[in-house]
């Protein structure tokens, strides 16, 4: 039985801790904040409650696997999952609206044809076929296997150009995919919104970001009753059931080294805790150690460059019930390539004081510029949300604005990491789960396979496999 210290109590770190505890190890989690969950937070006031991190779950199979592998109770006995249908209502800048069904390609094609004109659905369907090719080429190395020692092959663009025309120009960005292949500004805006929702600017994101809409439209979008915070609570309880120890209010200041390998951690108060392995679920900048900075290769293929994007969240407490025909998620598109605004309106009694009120969460991706006037930006977000919520201004009781500085306070970094993407010369490949220092591992959104609830859960499986199986571990099955 090994002694294992886990830094941070985010979803990726807790997923690692639960798996290692089931394997017979003694696991202690040190969290600098007062509670578990990391970026999966909650704001509550006056009987209203809001998710302050992700609002929907994609690829729920990741957490089903975690709960099956760590105990007798499956995920669905610990939380209530519901498919969101329609998956989203899109309101375009010209006023066009379309409801896209959950996990139905044929339904999506039909809905786009009906709303945007004949041929729109076919172009989107052809795009998804190419996106599937990119997904098939990168799924295992990006999601299910430890990052290879030489990830150079993943730096190449896996998205295939359309097989038409004598002079095919290479497609290098997602914005080019929208302009050249979708040929409708509304379809391009639809594609852009998927990139923005994961923190990527379509003008800079590689064409391989096509896997993001493919993933959502293929595997569906799910809501957790009580909000996504309920999932974090369930993972925390599973850890406790497996005798994982949690120490809150205990920032880790340093990783101890002995004989060339990790040997424990030093807490901010000076206490040293010995360990056979250390797993860091904290954001990469939080350690500031030479062996962490050593992730950069030093040649022409840097390991990871920060996206420089975060999120502003506006929590709206409204009087009056949801109107008939309201949908769970509405994406309001803006002119001029600006990020779309996502409006979440879960019909969940746990999030409102009674049936005569409604809790609405509005989010947008932003650059992490400290000089931004966040209240003015929130005004514009609320104005956009009015296109999704009838009578919003008149119904508003109060609002609460969360900025990138709030994200920094809660998670240790203002930026929100995106999932790993192939292409882009390797710039969007996060750090591998093994660090250059033996015995030190990385889990969570700042490490392979990147940010997002599903990806964080996958990182937990990968790190646990590397520790339990060692050099023989070849990836999740």
């Amino acid at each position: 039985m090994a002694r294992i210290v886990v830094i941070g109590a985010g979803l990726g770190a807790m997923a690692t801790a639960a798996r290692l505890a089931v394997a017979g190890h003694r696991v202690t989690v040190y969290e600098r904040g007062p509670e578990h969950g990391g970026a999966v937070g909650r704001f509550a006031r006056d009987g209203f409650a809001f998710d302050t991190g992700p609002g929907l779950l994609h690829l729920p199979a990741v957490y089903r696997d975690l709960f099956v592998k760590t105990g007798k109770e499956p995920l669905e006995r610990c939380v209530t999952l519901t498919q969101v249908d329609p998956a989203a209502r899109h309101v375009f800048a010209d006023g066009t609206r379309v409801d896209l069904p959950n996990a139905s390609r044929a339904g999506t094609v039909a809905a786009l044809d009906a709303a945007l004109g004949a041929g729109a659905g076919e172009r989107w369907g052809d795009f998804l076929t190419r996106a599937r090719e990119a997904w098939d080429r990168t799924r295992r190395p990006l999601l299910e296997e430890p990052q290879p020692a030489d990830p150079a092959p993943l730096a190449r663009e896996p998205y295939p150009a359309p097989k038409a025309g004598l002079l095919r120009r290479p497609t290098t960005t997602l914005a080019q995919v929208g302009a050249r292949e979708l040929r409708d500004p509304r379809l391009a805006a639809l594609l852009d919104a998927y990139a923005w929702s994961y923190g990527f600017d379509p003008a800079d994101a590689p064409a391989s970001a096509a896997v993001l809409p493919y993933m959502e439209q293929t595997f569906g979008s799910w809501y957790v009753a009580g909000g996504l915070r309920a999932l974090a609570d369930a993972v925390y309880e599973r850890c406790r059931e497996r005798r994982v120890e949690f120490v809150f209010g205990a920032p880790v200041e340093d990783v101890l080294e002995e004989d060339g390998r990790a040997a424990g951690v030093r807490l901010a108060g000076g206490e040293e805790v010995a360990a056979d392995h250390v797993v860091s679920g904290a954001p990469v900048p939080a350690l500031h150690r030479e062996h962490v900075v050593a992730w950069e290769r030093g040649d022409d293929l840097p390991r990871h460059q920060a996206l420089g994007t975060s999120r502003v969240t506006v929590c709206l407490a409204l009087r009056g019930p949801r109107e008939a025909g309201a949908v769970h998620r509405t994406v309001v598109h803006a002119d001029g390539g600006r990020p779309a605004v996502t409006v979440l309106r879960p019909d969940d009694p746990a999030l409102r004081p009674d049936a005569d009120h409604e809790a609405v969460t509005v989010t947008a991706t932003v650059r992490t510029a400290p000089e931004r006037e966040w209240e003015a930006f929130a005004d514009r977000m609320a104005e956009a949300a009015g296109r999704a919520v009838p009578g919003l201004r008149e119904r508003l009781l109060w609002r609460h604005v969360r900025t990138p500085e709030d994200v920094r306070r809660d998670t240790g970094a203002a930026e929100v990491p995106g999932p790993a993407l192939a292409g882009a010369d390797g710039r969007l490949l996060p750090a591998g789960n093994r660090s250059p220092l033996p015995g030190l591992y990385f889990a969570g959104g700042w490490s392979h396979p990147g940010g997002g609830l599903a990806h964080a859960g996958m990182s937990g499986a990968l790190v646990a496999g590397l520790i339990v199986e060692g050099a023989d571990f070849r990836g999740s099955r």
Side-chain angles (χ1 to χ4, degrees), residues 111-170:
L112 290 172
D113 273 340
L116 308 186
E122 181 180 4
R123 291 197 297 279
W124 185 261
D126 289 344
F127 156 73
L128 285 183
T129 297
R130 292 187 288 276
R132 178 178 179 174
E133 248 186 89
W135 170 266
D136 288 342
R137 291 173 179 174
T138 59
R139 177 179 58 85
R140 279 204 60 80
L142 275 188
L143 301 180
E144 299 172 2
E145 298 173 349
Q147 196 178 90
D150 178 14
L154 290 174
R156 295 193 287 268
E157 177 58 64
Y159 180 79
K163 297 178 180 178
L166 296 177
L167 299 175
R168 286 189 294 162
R169 293 172 294 168

Side-chain angles (χ1 to χ4, degrees), residues 159-456:
Y159 180 79
K163 297 178 180 178
L166 296 177
L167 299 175
R168 286 189 294 162
R169 293 172 294 168
T171 301
T172 58
T173 69
L174 199 67
Q176 289 175 337
V177 172
R180 296 177 184 177
E181 300 174 26
L182 299 179
R183 304 193 306 280
D184 183 312
R186 295 164 298 184
L187 285 180
L190 174 63
L191 177 58
D192 289 352
Y194 282 100
W196 280 118
S197 69
Y198 286 91
F200 297 106
D201 185 335
D204 302 323
S208 65
V211 301
L212 302 176
Y214 173 80
M215 179 181 70
E216 285 199 25
Q217 293 195 4
T218 300
F219 303 108
S221 300
W222 301 73
Y223 178 67
V224 179
L228 265 291
R229 179 66 192 183
L231 177 64
D233 292 343
V235 176
Y236 172 70
E237 291 302 326
R238 178 53 54 90
C239 286
R240 293 293 302 273
E241 291 165 6
R242 297 298 162 259
R243 300 183 184 278
V244 174
E245 181 182 357
F246 286 81
V247 183
F248 295 103
V252 171
E253 188 176 73
D254 205 353
V255 175
L256 305 176
E257 299 179 32
E258 186 176 315
D259 298 328
R261 62 173 289 114
V265 298
R266 181 182 298 112
L267 304 182
E271 178 187 355
E272 294 189 353
V273 180
D276 300 298
H277 303 280
V278 176
V279 177
S280 177
V284 168
L287 290 178
H288 296 296
R289 286 288 295 165
E290 199 173 299
H291 50 258
V292 173
V293 180
W295 281 332
E296 296 199 358
R297 288 196 267 288
D299 358 271
D300 57 350
L301 199 61
R303 263 292 187 173
H304 175 74
Q305 292 183 4
L307 299 175
T309 56
S310 188
R311 292 192 182 95
V312 173
T313 302
V314 183
C315 306
L316 303 175
L318 305 184
R319 63 171 65 87
R322 295 166 91 246
E323 75 280 4
V327 299
H328 189 113
R329 174 171 56 165
T330 302
V331 181
V332 181
H333 299 265
D335 286 317
R338 288 175 294 162
V341 169
T342 299
V343 182
L344 296 179
R345 307 178 64 189
D347 188 9
D348 188 343
L351 305 185
R352 60 191 183 225
D354 53 50
D356 291 324
H357 292 85
E358 182 182 7
V360 174
T361 306
V362 187
T363 60
T365 301
V366 294
R367 295 290 183 185
T368 52
E371 69 279 3
R372 293 290 291 270
E373 293 289 340
W374 295 121
E375 286 294 332
F377 187 81
D379 289 340
R380 295 193 292 274
M381 290 173 61
E383 182 181 353
R387 301 176 66 192
V389 184
L392 186 150
R393 182 176 297 181
E394 295 74 22
R395 296 176 58 196
L396 182 64
L397 291 171
W398 51 262
R399 80 180 188 188
H400 173 74
V401 180
R402 287 179 51 83
T403 72
E405 285 308 308
D406 295 306
V407 175
R408 182 192 301 277
R409 184 193 65 233
D410 292 345
T411 68
E415 295 172 348
V416 177
L421 292 178
D425 296 326
R427 292 193 312 274
L428 299 177
L429 296 177
N433 303 113
R434 292 186 187 93
S435 86
L437 180 70
L440 174 62
Y441 301 84
F442 297 98
W446 292 95
S447 60
H448 181 74
L453 282 177
H455 293 71

